[in-house]
Amino acid sequence: MIRAAVLPAVGSPLEVTGIELPEPGPGQVRIRLAAAGVCHSDLSLTNGTMRVPVPAVLGHEGAGTVVSVGEGVTHVAPGDGVVLNWAPSCGDCHPCSLGEVWLCANALTGTANTHARTEDGTELHPGLNVAAFAEETVVAAHCVLPVPEGVPLADAALLGCAVLTGWGAVHHSARVREGETVAVFGVGGVGLATLQAARIAGASTIVAVDVSPEKEALARAAGATEYVVASETTAKEIRKLTGGHGVDVAVECVGRAVTIRTAWDSTRRGGRTTVVGIGGKDQQVAFNALEIFHWGRTLAGCVYGNSNPAVDLPVLAGHIRAGRLDLSALVTERITLDGIPGAFENMLAGKGGRALVVFP
């Protein structure tokens, strides 16, 4: 028996309870978690914005140590530190054949599997494949990647979602060039990673936007040169900070229609707006045909930072070792499993950056 945070049903509160976890079968790996980040996507699973089979063990951003491996697993061994990859690519579907592994059509098929059982025998699914809100987990071998050399194991958890997403939004989706201006909407874990990525890319003016004035120090420490408290005049303020033009790149990390529209309005003519935030179906964004022609802006969605974890993790590790990327700066709260509901409440209230569940 191990302890885990279980979502009994959509709309229900999480329950931290004991579960029975099987030993790894062929092609599987058992991992003792060192840490797991609390991401807004986990919250989106609880309220039904994102749909996966339930009941489920949530948590998709994690790192830990291999306990045992099943038959056929050769790329990791007991004692190895690993990062969990919640969206593994199959290598066979159409997007994978195009090299767009972040759009893999089969990435989430594992969520339908039986992952564990409660004490009364109820079957549990792995929320986003890896079930990281638990003391231990069993995952498919292609869901684990070795922790890069020189990266602390607990901090490495953040590489599994927030950092890959923020880094990729800047370097793969928006393709920020040195000297360009950037605005980042939402200063949570992903937003903080995006600010750091923009700084590393050599952006000149970096504007952070959030509803909370209290996040300014966090944003500036991550690389923001300007801070704007979100209001009805946000786009006007950003244009004023950029010579009246608007930013070259706006990255939206919130997933709300009004924020997406503001990010678009804050982007210069011919600029790029990248949407990272996951919004609900009820969040409708409106544009008229003339403005799309006139402004010549690009609006793009961005899934998992358009990243290939196997390729990007070594690059990120190089920046970490060189002191350019600070993973610990994303974390504003270190908690236990029992603290996850409180971390959800803080996210809803717009407080803090990343909460990190740290296991003893």
Side-chain angles (χ1 to χ4, degrees):
M1 296 294 293
I2 61 165
R3 296 181 79 233
V6 174
L7 176 67
V10 172
S12 298
L14 284 185
E15 297 176 357
V16 178
T17 185
I19 66 170
E20 296 180 2
L21 189 67
E23 290 302 313
Q28 292 185 321
V29 180
R30 184 169 183 139
I31 298 151
R32 180 178 299 111
L33 272 295
V38 183
C39 179
H40 203 280
S41 296
D42 298 308
L43 185 59
S44 295
L45 292 174
T46 68
N47 62 28
T49 298
M50 296 173 65
R51 292 280 185 174
V52 294
V54 292
V57 179
L58 297 191
H60 64 280
E61 181 183 83
T65 303
V66 175
V67 175
S68 57
V69 300
E71 181 183 350
V73 178
T74 58
H75 74 295
V76 294
D80 288 350
V82 292
V83 178
L84 298 178
N85 175 15
W86 63 270
S89 57
C90 70
D92 295 324
C93 67
H94 184 60
C96 285
S97 73
L98 298 174
E100 298 172 350
V101 297
W102 55 91
L103 298 178
C104 176
N106 300 309
L108 295 181
T109 55
T111 62
N113 296 339
T114 298
H115 172 71
R117 296 178 187 274
T118 62
E119 292 183 86
D120 65 6
T122 302
E123 292 185 352
L124 300 172
H125 301 281
L128 283 177
N129 282 322
V130 296
F133 286 168
E135 294 169 333
E136 295 189 10
T137 187
V138 172
V139 302
H142 63 321
C143 287
V144 298
L145 294 165
V147 171
E149 184 180 350
V151 180
L153 188 57
D155 289 350
L158 302 166
L159 294 172
C161 184
V163 177
L164 275 173
T165 299
W167 171 265
V170 168
H171 290 270
H172 300 319
S173 180
R175 298 182 183 274
V176 174
R177 299 182 288 268
E178 186 173 0
E180 288 193 311
T181 56
V182 176
V184 177
F185 290 76
V187 184
V190 172
L192 289 169
T194 304
L195 288 168
Q196 290 203 44
R199 173 177 47 76
I200 293 170
S204 53
T205 300
I206 304 175
V207 185
V209 182
D210 198 275
V211 295
S212 172
E214 288 76 21
K215 291 188 179 182
E216 181 171 359
L218 272 176
R220 290 190 181 275
T225 61
E226 309 289 344
Y227 192 82
V228 173
V229 178
S231 70
E232 293 180 355
T233 63
T234 294
K236 185 182 294 185
E237 292 180 60
I238 290 176
R239 287 195 296 271
K240 185 177 179 180
L241 291 169
T242 53
H245 306 295
V247 289
D248 297 301
V249 170
V251 182
E252 199 272 358
C253 303
V254 180
R256 295 183 62 234
V258 65
T259 318
I260 295 169
R261 178 70 221 202
T262 304
W264 166 271
D265 289 337
S266 302
T267 306
R268 69 165 174 84
R269 194 175 187 190
R272 290 101 69 201
T273 305
T274 291
V275 178
V276 173
I278 301 172
K281 293 179 180 179
D282 60 328
Q283 296 289 313
Q284 299 292 317
V285 188
F287 306 93
N288 67 60
L290 180 61
E291 69 174 310
I292 292 174
F293 160 78
H294 172 76
W295 289 103
R297 297 165 175 146
T298 300
L299 177 66
C302 179
V303 178
Y304 203 8
N306 294 7
S307 293
N308 181 341
V311 173
D312 288 320
L313 285 185
V315 175
L316 291 168
H319 289 296
I320 294 167
R321 289 192 293 266
R324 290 184 291 269
L325 179 60
D326 183 1
L327 298 182
S328 63
L330 276 63
V331 180
T332 54
E333 186 180 19
R334 296 179 187 269
I335 60 175
T336 65
L337 275 175
D338 296 296
I340 294 175
F344 280 180
E345 291 176 7
N346 285 339
M347 277 194 289
L348 286 169
K351 296 179 180 178
R354 203 44 135 218
L356 189 67
V357 179
V358 179
F359 295 90

